[in-house]
Amino acid sequence: MVVLALNCGSSSLKFSLFDVAGRTDTLLAAGAAEDLGGSGTTTWLEDGRGNELVRRSRPVADHRAAVEAAVRDLREARLPAPAAIGHRVVFGGATYTGPARLGRALVATLETLVPFAPLHLPAEISGIAAASALFPALPQVACFDTAFHHRMPERARRLALPRTLWDRGIRRYGFHGLSYEYVVDTIGAERLGRAVIAHLGHGASLAAVADGVSIDTTMGLTPTGGIMMSTRSGDLDPGVLLHLATVHRYDAPALDALVNRESGLAGVSGLGGDMKTLLDERATRPEAALAITMFCYHVRKQIGAFAAALGGLDTLVFTAGIGERSADVRREVCEGLEHLGVRLDARANAASADLISPPGGRPDVRVVRTNENLVVARQTCRVLEERA
């Protein structure tokens, strides 16, 4: 089955075209539209071997236009037409604990969930609408980032709030589930054992995984919680928000802008939230150095906490953009974890090898290049095969 996997971010679209046959997955093409809404949105398309087919700078107003441009580029490149479309959907709430066939009822439910993920769900709903207009006869599947965490024990999902709020869905859901599922599938649940997986990208989170099952994670009700991120604050003393609201007269939109777009690496450094830029500037800009130090400290502290929750640590995995590419961040995160047995092979770490700890040591420290779109394609096929 040829599957088009769509991943609509808050200001971007990433997509991949796969031929999926059992456990044999062939990437046919991949592309993206970046910085949507700007006058110079970059769109690109590569074939399955990484050869560039399209690269343009052109106005692309929104996610609907981005999906239309992606499909047009795929057709002009004479790539196979999809037989199904899968969508990464960031939030499924308590209802959707696995991938589901898309229809009017599911889309209507997603619209009610927008307040839980206002940066992501509107973009994803727009992508679903665009794909439905372009391919009205094709089956579509929603693949939920929250689903991976649905088996967390109540002690991890429950917030220390009255049960009436739990009954209204106010709880820890967790995110980046498609990435975590890819890591588990790639390494294997048995080989992972008691694992901490660090998904470190523009959005960042960690998960404690035992035998392939999530038992805890850093993000909570929304993707704003957990460790500090590129532009998100991560966890805050609730009193900070109350103080800003009552003393400094921050309203809800101002608080939203603060915790989602003005904080994290960008807020601490004053130089933006791109980790590579901060690493380049750290030697001469103390604020860049502080932001990096804080980020690594927060990740390291969370690894220790999750090792305690797991009762030990067999595997530590770094994934996503920062986790996969930054040897400096991986090294700094691991410094101070020697009491858990964590050691790095400096040469392997510098090369971003699959195994970056000394062979035969414990825990294994690994780098996995995540592929959320492949998980979307696999889940889409699985749902459609089950309904056949």
Side-chain angles (χ1 to χ4, degrees), residues 180-204:
Y180 292 132
E181 181 172 328
Y182 180 82
V183 170
V184 172
D185 285 349
T186 298
I187 298 178
E190 184 175 349
R191 190 177 182 188
L192 275 172
R194 298 166 299 179
V196 175
I197 306 173
H199 177 106
L200 307 180
H202 180 85

Side-chain angles (χ1 to χ4, degrees), residues 14 78 98 100 145 150 152 172 241 263 269 278 302 366:
K14 297 178 182 178
R78 298 189 177 183
D145 249 338
H150 84 275
M152 287 194 308
R172 186 183 304 280
L241 302 183
S263 298
S269 71
L278 298 180
Q302 196 61 61
R366 296 187 171 275

Side-chain angles (χ1 to χ4, degrees), residues 160-312:
L161 296 170
R163 176 163 285 277
T164 53
L165 295 178
W166 165 271
D167 294 338
R168 295 175 191 171
I170 308 300
R171 61 188 67 179
R172 186 183 304 280
Y173 289 99
F175 297 86
H176 295 136
L178 298 175
S179 178
Y180 292 132
E181 181 172 328
Y182 180 82
V183 170
V184 172
D185 285 349
T186 298
I187 298 178
E190 184 175 349
R191 190 177 182 188
L192 275 172
R194 298 166 299 179
V196 175
I197 306 173
H199 177 106
L200 307 180
H202 180 85
S205 69
L206 293 89
V209 175
D211 300 319
V213 176
S214 175
I215 67 160
D216 207 343
T217 190
T218 54
M219 285 181 169
L221 175 72
T222 74
T224 307
I227 62 170
M228 67 183 287
M229 304 171 224
S230 178
T231 63
R232 300 176 201 158
S233 64
D235 288 345
L236 291 172
D237 171 0
V240 171
L241 302 183
L242 293 173
H243 176 81
L244 292 174
T246 58
V247 176
H248 297 280
R249 303 304 183 204
Y250 276 60
D251 59 11
L255 290 173
D256 175 73
L258 175 69
V259 299
N260 281 306
R261 295 185 289 280
E262 300 168 0
S263 298
L265 294 171
V268 173
S269 71
L271 301 172
D274 179 66
M275 179 62 79
K276 184 178 185 304
T277 299
L278 298 180
L279 288 166
D280 291 341
E281 297 285 342
R282 76 186 302 184
T284 57
R285 303 291 291 269
E287 57 271 39
L290 176 61
I292 296 166
T293 297
M294 286 177 61
F295 180 84
C296 294
Y297 171 71
H298 286 191
V299 176
R300 181 167 61 252
K301 183 170 67 171
Q302 196 61 61
I303 292 169
F306 279 171
L310 289 161

Side-chain angles (χ1 to χ4, degrees), residues 131-142:
S132 299
L134 290 165
F135 301 102
L138 291 191
Q140 299 189 62
V141 172

